[in-house]
Amino acid sequence: LDGVIITGSPASVNDPLPWIATAEAFVRDLARRGIPTVGLCFGHQLIARALGGRVVRATDWGLGIGHIDVAATRPWMEPAAPHLNLYAAHQDQVQQLPPGAQWLGGDAFCPNGLFVVGAAPGVETLLGVQYHPELPTDFMRALLDHLEPHLPLGVVARARPQLDTPVDAALFFQWIARFIELPRKPLP
């Protein structure tokens, strides 16, 4: 197993569903084994919660474009960028990082938008980002159409024009590839 990517979900990591407890145990096992793991949105929240962080429901929706002000960098974050724009579709977010996590960035709405966790000191094996580099624009437009009747008035209208903003998905996927390909020593 070279690596794992855990993507989004319509479920909340705080939902009392049996499969979420199973997924959390899976994340803890990946961390224990040192398997490179990337969490996107729900996956980001799942990594945080599984390892002892706290995920809460925000008072508003992060829908449209999410911004990350990159505050700390790693060698795999090349080419470097001080800011990232990625698609967003979430209301839950990580309020408290898990023990041992290193904060890499966020913004005023979602302060813990990007973090890494190591299986051992100096061995980063889990990467979490609150946003969706994997979603193409057409999917986001369809998602907004689907969500509009279910969300408070104005939330989708605020998000629609944001989809004309270029996103940094290609750059972020370069970072993900470099992160997964980092040389790692097997854990004892």
Side-chain angles (χ1 to χ4, degrees), residues 164-178:
D164 294 328
T165 302
V167 293
D168 299 302
L171 171 62
F172 197 78
F173 270 115
Q174 289 178 30
W175 291 5
I176 288 173
R178 286 186 179 93

Side-chain angles (χ1 to χ4, degrees), residues 43-57:
H44 164 84
Q45 298 163 15
L46 185 70
I47 289 169
R49 184 178 150 119
L51 300 179
R54 184 165 183 237
V55 176
V56 299
R57 173 112 340 144

Side-chain angles (χ1 to χ4, degrees), residues 33-71:
R33 293 171 49 203
I35 304 288
T37 303
V38 178
L40 311 176
C41 195
F42 175 88
H44 164 84
Q45 298 163 15
L46 185 70
I47 289 169
R49 184 178 150 119
L51 300 179
R54 184 165 183 237
V55 176
V56 299
R57 173 112 340 144
T59 57
D60 197 4
W61 277 83
L63 193 61
I65 296 290
H67 308 282
I68 299 173
D69 296 321
V70 178

Side-chain angles (χ1 to χ4, degrees), residues 106-125:
D107 71 358
F109 177 70
C110 184
N112 294 316
L114 183 64
F115 71 88
V116 289
V117 180
V123 183
E124 297 170 348
T125 54

